[in-house]
Amino acid sequence: MKRTLLILAVLTVCSASAQKKKTMNNKQDTEQRIDELLAKMTLEEKVGQMNQYNGFWDVTGPSPKEGNAATKYEHLRKGWVGSMLTVRGVKEVRAVQKIAVEETRLGIPLIIGFDVIHGYKTLSPIPLAEAASWDMEAIKNSAKTAASEAAASGINWTFGPNVDISRDARWGRVMEGAGEDPFLGSRVAEARVKGFQGEDLSDPLTIAACAKHFAGYGFAESGRDYNTVDISNATLYNTVLPPFKAANDAGVRTYMNSFNILNGIPATGNSFLQRDILKGKWGFNGFVITDWASIREMIAHGFAKDGAEASEKAVKAGADMDMESHLYIYELVNLVKEGKVEEALIDDAVRRILRVKFELGLFDDPYRYCDEKREKETIYSKASHEAVLDMAKKSIVLLKNEGNLLPLKKKGQKIALIGSLANDKTSPLGSWRIASDDNTAVSVLEGMQQYKGNTLVYEKGADLTIGKTTFLDELVFNTTDRSGFEAAKKAAKDADVVVMVLGEHGFQSGEGRSRTNLDLPGLQQVLLEEIYKVNPNIVLVLNNGRPLALPWAAEHIPTIVEAWQLGTETGNAVAQVLYGDYNPSGKLPMSFPRNVGQVPIYYNQHSTGRPTNSDNNVFWSHYSDVEKTPLFAFGHGLSYTTFKYGSVKLDKKTYAKGEAVKVSVEVTNTGDYDGKEVVQLYIRDIAASLSRPVKELKGFELVPLKKGETKTVTFTLTDKELGFFNNEGEYLVEQGTFKVFVGTSSDNVQETEFELK
């Protein structure tokens, strides 16, 4: 290390020894530095920068001698690897970086990627839960906390945020995104990108972000992962793309393309998405990485006959780095030599990759992320725990509270706590938690045990799952063993209040976890109904990674708390909300269906030609067996206090195009507790050149109000909020009548209107 500067620049070809390589002047313009480096690179070394391998052996142990790992190791030493993923921990990262920097001809450092989805070791709530907070500063801080732990462990690039909009709760990856709305999703995308990347990407406690999956992945048909996507241009431009554009505007440095086809073309080979829109219209100058083996999967899609054709189509379409297809490294050199791929395309991809590496400061110090002292001090730190606890409390949504069972009294009550999830220290961590350790979540039981004034009795009732529960395997649910029912019923019968923690296992959502039923799995619904027979004073606490369809519970259970999968501090967050030390303020980022037959269901739908039963017959848009409205609407969420809205006011009734529209409303806390309210503003363009949704979220503000306090909340609508994209991707602001809705949720609003001339 005493000759670090000589090792780091590694840009001359004079010697194979890294310590003899000449340092590039770090004051030079980055683009000039890239030019100089590109001029020294062979075609094979350029293609190597476009190659990402998964971790393949214990780097600090013996080198592999045969098989796939040995080949990857050989490529690493030749300088044919630009990035690695899932290598983590300072010792491992330093070891693999040392090979790239000190044993290759040019010594170009690796960028180390990892799925830091909602935390590294200390976990925040799943991203869908974070979106329920509608608190952008908290979400930004959550990403910042995740970045600091990951960076301290040697990682400098995350494959997040997932900014896919989805209206289909069957799709397991809704847990990774911000829900169904592009406006909220855009705000969350911006917050998470800024949280991950900070103000200075070369700060060793920040990491490069990756907006994924570009594009349309959240619209997989029937909610089945990896499935076909077939959407209109109107949906693409107005619903799918806005969060990706927001990520670009926030400075995101990488994008990941998606597994799906769009207009019959796999996203990985889709030049319209990657070159025309992303790199062309939006001017993105970072790089695009494929999703896992998605270049090779274009063969299965029927879009390429073999690996060579798949590689050719991918690179021409703008896919810069190949994640684990092993195709670029074997095909691109020959494709260039055969004249099928211009070397200028290779140079462009490599330039983009090197640019991000320079921005991360890796050329000036490839070991900047490899500080064992910092790793020890940062992982599971007190500050990290405080940050994820704050995020967890803000993510909880109070769906029902009839009879005011909540908040619980702090003394004198006998409480029965029931459900296997209540005493689970692993499931609450949620899915996509590769670096976290099992058994590290605070359970709800542990959280409630901190409150000593009541008598707390716990009974499991029934196991949720049978056998192993892992990220890679299908879960097996208990559907027969009811041996714990009687003990649970006895505890409930003797209790003043029953708290039941039910829902999904943490590995029941996420990638590859699509469902055709959105009910409580296993014996949980049966247990819930049995407990209700002996004591209806039930507080149902839901742990889940997606919206659930719970019509029986919504009708019978007086109090329902949506507590998602909240991460490391789950139990403490839930207990503090249940006992009233934190007044819940979360709002749903996705509609909850009455049953799976309504899915996809979303608030910002288009009106049909027959929206109401005006003729008193069956010929209107409805279901014959259930209401067409959601069980719980987008934006819904209660508080322990109550809020009263005044009339929605405009500063005038007619505006010229380009003129700001001022909308205001008075909100009063009329209850007995201090609280926070998410005031939501929606619009509808009544008549436009394209049919517009019946409501579109265009503003929200999280407003703290002390009991009895009144505040005036003011929104400003500009062309940015009033326009839309046509089917050619052109942004239009059209004259006409606009309705404005302001309220506490998408289905509980007051309205007014104005004219745009």
Side-chain angles (χ1 to χ4, degrees):
M1 290 300 295
K2 64 182 179 180
R3 303 184 68 185
T4 300
L5 290 177
L6 293 176
I7 297 172
L8 301 184
V10 295
L11 297 175
T12 67
V13 297
C14 299
S15 171
S17 170
Q19 291 197 6
K20 293 182 181 179
K21 293 171 184 171
K22 181 180 178 182
T23 302
M24 178 175 280
N25 181 356
N26 61 16
K27 293 182 180 180
Q28 286 180 280
D29 176 79
T30 297
E31 298 305 312
Q32 181 182 348
R33 299 171 76 183
I34 295 171
D35 287 341
E36 292 184 15
L37 181 51
L38 271 172
K40 295 179 172 68
M41 296 174 73
T42 65
L43 177 58
E44 288 79 5
E45 288 167 335
K46 291 175 183 177
V47 170
Q49 286 299 299
M50 302 168 68
N51 179 37
Q52 183 187 65
Y53 281 148
N54 186 34
F56 43 88
W57 88 94
D58 180 358
V59 189
T60 58
S63 300
K65 302 299 183 185
E66 57 185 18
N68 186 46
T71 300
K72 291 182 176 181
Y73 178 63
E74 178 188 357
H75 289 178
L76 183 65
R77 296 188 68 182
K78 287 182 175 180
W80 292 1
V81 182
S83 174
M84 292 187 66
L85 73 154
T86 68
V87 177
R88 58 187 173 92
V90 165
K91 288 185 178 179
E92 292 291 303
V93 171
R94 180 185 291 277
V96 74
Q97 192 71 281
K98 190 173 188 293
I99 296 171
V101 171
E102 301 185 27
E103 296 185 32
T104 64
R105 189 179 77 91
L106 295 177
I108 300 173
L110 300 167
I111 181 171
I112 306 294
F114 196 78
D115 284 291
V116 186
I117 304 302
H118 56 109
Y120 181 70
K121 287 284 190 181
T122 313
L123 297 184
S124 278
I126 60 171
L128 184 63
E130 289 191 353
S133 73
W134 296 56
D135 187 329
M136 298 305 113
E137 281 303 312
I139 293 171
K140 178 180 176 182
N141 191 52
S142 172
K144 180 180 178 181
T145 299
S148 66
E149 283 201 351
S153 300
I155 294 157
N156 42 53
W157 179 25
T158 175
F159 304 125
N162 181 325
V163 301
D164 293 319
I165 297 299
S166 184
R167 301 162 169 173
D168 195 332
R170 294 172 298 181
W171 190 54
R173 300 194 80 165
V174 298
M175 59 80 58
E176 291 181 56
E180 70 190 44
D181 181 75
F183 185 88
L184 177 61
S186 296
R187 294 285 304 278
V188 172
E190 176 186 11
R192 299 199 76 210
V193 167
K194 290 183 176 179
F196 284 133
Q197 296 190 166
E199 299 297 325
D200 180 3
L201 203 55
S202 66
D203 183 328
L205 288 180
T206 65
I207 55 181
C210 180
K212 66 184 188 183
H213 304 85
F214 198 68
Y217 191 26
F219 282 76
E221 286 187 356
S222 68
R224 179 159 52 87
D225 213 349
Y226 317 118
N227 203 10
T228 296
V229 169
D230 192 1
I231 57 176
S232 68
N233 278 357
T235 299
L236 177 68
Y237 286 119
N238 291 291
T239 302
V240 171
L241 293 182
F244 288 100
K245 179 62 163 60
N248 185 61
D249 292 345
V252 73
R253 300 312 296 132
T254 67
Y255 281 78
M256 180 184 291
N257 56 39
S258 52
F259 288 120
N260 55 276
I261 64 171
L262 186 69
N263 294 326
I265 301 175
T268 302
N270 198 310
S271 180
F272 166 68
L273 287 173
Q274 296 172 115
R275 292 214 181 271
D276 295 352
I277 294 178
L278 180 59
K279 295 178 178 180
K281 189 172 183 179
W282 295 355
F284 173 66
N285 70 352
F287 70 88
V288 177
I289 185 166
T290 74
D291 209 335
W292 186 286
S294 67
I295 298 178
R296 186 175 297 278
E297 289 181 10
M298 291 199 295
I299 302 172
H301 279 297
F303 186 67
K305 64 182 179 181
D306 55 26
E309 186 176 15
S311 298
E312 179 182 351
K313 288 187 172 183
V315 74
K316 286 181 176 178
D320 300 309
M321 183 179 283
D322 173 13
M323 179 193 289
E324 273 293 312
S325 281
H326 303 184
L327 286 179
Y328 276 2
I329 196 66
Y330 288 110
E331 303 289 354
L332 281 188
V333 171
N334 287 337
L335 287 169
V336 172
K337 291 180 177 179
E338 292 169 2
K340 294 181 178 179
V341 171
E342 294 181 7
E343 189 166 357
L345 288 178
I346 307 298
D347 288 348
D348 176 66
V350 175
R351 176 180 296 279
R352 292 169 176 275
I353 294 164
L354 294 177
R355 182 180 292 124
V356 175
K357 291 184 178 184
F358 273 110
E359 291 168 351
L360 285 165
L362 290 171
F363 280 95
D364 298 318
D365 180 5
Y367 305 112
R368 67 190 306 111
Y369 294 89
C370 298
D371 185 323
E372 292 182 11
K373 181 175 182 291
R374 183 169 61 221
E375 181 180 34
K376 185 176 181 180
E377 291 172 349
T378 305
I379 302 298
Y380 288 136
S381 69
K382 180 181 178 182
S384 292
H385 279 273
E386 290 174 349
V388 301
L389 175 58
D390 177 70
M391 188 74 256
K393 291 186 291 188
K394 291 175 176 176
S395 301
I396 293 174
V397 183
L398 181 61
L399 297 178
K400 280 187 70 178
N401 195 23
E402 294 178 358
N404 294 321
L405 285 182
L406 293 181
L408 299 172
K409 297 176 182 177
K410 291 186 177 178
K411 58 176 61 177
Q413 282 189 317
K414 186 171 184 180
I415 300 172
L417 178 62
I418 295 172
S420 63
L421 288 175
N423 193 29
D424 197 318
K425 293 172 63 63
T426 298
S427 177
L429 296 172
S431 192
W432 276 117
R433 50 177 187 84
I434 302 172
S436 72
D437 301 308
D438 287 348
N439 212 40
T440 55
V442 177
S443 70
V444 174
L445 175 59
E446 290 172 326
M448 293 188 69
Q449 285 173 336
Q450 301 303 309
Y451 292 82
K452 306 294 186 181
N454 290 320
T455 300
L456 180 67
V457 177
Y458 169 70
E459 290 291 344
K460 176 173 60 176
D463 287 320
L464 175 58
T465 59
I466 300 171
K468 64 181 180 179
T469 55
T470 75
F471 185 63
L472 298 178
D473 299 292
E474 298 284 359
L475 302 180
V476 178
F477 293 96
N478 170 32
T479 58
T480 58
D481 183 4
R482 305 186 184 189
S483 58
F485 272 35
E486 289 306 313
K489 289 165 67 175
K490 183 178 185 303
K493 186 176 182 179
D494 295 338
D496 297 310
V497 180
V498 180
V499 176
M500 298 189 71
V501 183
L502 307 176
E504 297 181 307
H505 189 275
F507 283 145
Q508 203 172 351
S509 61
E511 185 172 350
R513 267 89 174 178
S514 299
R515 295 182 65 188
T516 60
N517 289 313
L518 298 176
D519 55 4
L520 296 170
L523 292 171
Q524 292 180 107
Q525 181 64 37
V526 179
L527 177 63
L528 178 62
E529 294 184 28
E530 288 295 304
I531 297 300
Y532 180 79
K533 291 175 183 177
V534 300
N535 190 342
N537 293 326
I538 295 174
V539 175
L540 173 58
V541 177
L542 296 172
N543 287 173
N544 44 297
R546 51 159 60 86
L548 299 178
L550 304 171
W552 188 91
E555 180 181 353
H556 294 88
I557 304 303
T559 300
I560 304 177
V561 177
E562 177 51 85
W564 313 102
Q565 284 138 2
L566 295 175
T568 302
E569 289 287 335
T570 289
N572 288 331
V574 170
Q576 289 179 32
V577 166
L578 295 184
Y579 277 101
D581 286 338
Y582 188 86
N583 188 354
S585 58
K587 303 280 189 176
L588 293 180
M590 283 192 78
S591 304
F592 276 45
R594 298 177 185 274
N595 62 51
V596 74
Q598 289 184 306
V599 175
I601 187 170
Y602 47 98
Y603 86 92
N604 49 351
Q605 61 187 301
H606 290 256
S607 176
T608 69
R610 299 183 181 186
T612 60
N613 190 11
S614 58
D615 294 328
N616 198 29
N617 57 38
V618 300
F619 302 111
W620 66 292
S621 183
H622 72 295
Y623 298 106
S624 61
D625 56 349
V626 72
E627 295 292 326
K628 65 178 181 179
T629 56
L631 185 65
F632 297 109
F634 174 86
H636 171 72
L638 305 176
S639 169
Y640 294 149
T641 193
T642 54
F643 301 101
K644 180 181 178 181
Y645 282 70
S647 299
V648 181
K649 297 179 180 179
L650 299 169
D651 56 337
K652 54 184 181 177
K653 287 292 187 178
T654 303
Y655 299 86
K657 284 178 65 174
E659 188 177 1
V661 178
K662 299 288 186 181
V663 184
S664 63
V665 65
E666 284 190 350
V667 183
T668 303
N669 183 341
T670 55
D672 298 326
Y673 299 87
D674 297 343
K676 292 182 290 185
E677 169 71 340
V678 180
V679 182
Q680 302 160 44
L681 179 144
Y682 301 83
I683 68 167
R684 181 181 184 184
D685 188 345
I686 297 299
S689 56
L690 291 181
S691 172
R692 304 303 304 135
V694 296
K695 286 191 184 81
E696 296 180 86
L697 182 71
K698 293 297 180 180
F700 62 87
E701 186 171 339
L702 181 60
V703 183
L705 290 163
K706 297 186 180 298
K707 59 182 179 179
E709 183 180 11
T710 298
K711 288 184 178 179
T712 299
V713 181
T714 301
F715 298 96
T716 301
L717 297 173
T718 67
D719 285 357
K720 184 178 179 182
E721 289 76 36
L722 297 178
F724 61 91
F725 291 94
N726 66 14
N727 289 332
E728 286 70 48
E730 300 167 329
Y731 191 73
L732 307 177
V733 181
E734 298 181 340
Q735 66 182 23
T737 303
F738 287 79
K739 284 188 179 293
V740 179
F741 311 88
V742 179
T744 187
S745 67
S746 63
D747 66 345
N748 186 359
V749 293
Q750 300 179 72
E751 67 179 80
T752 187
E753 63 181 46
F754 66 89
E755 290 288 326
L756 191 65
K757 298 293 187 181

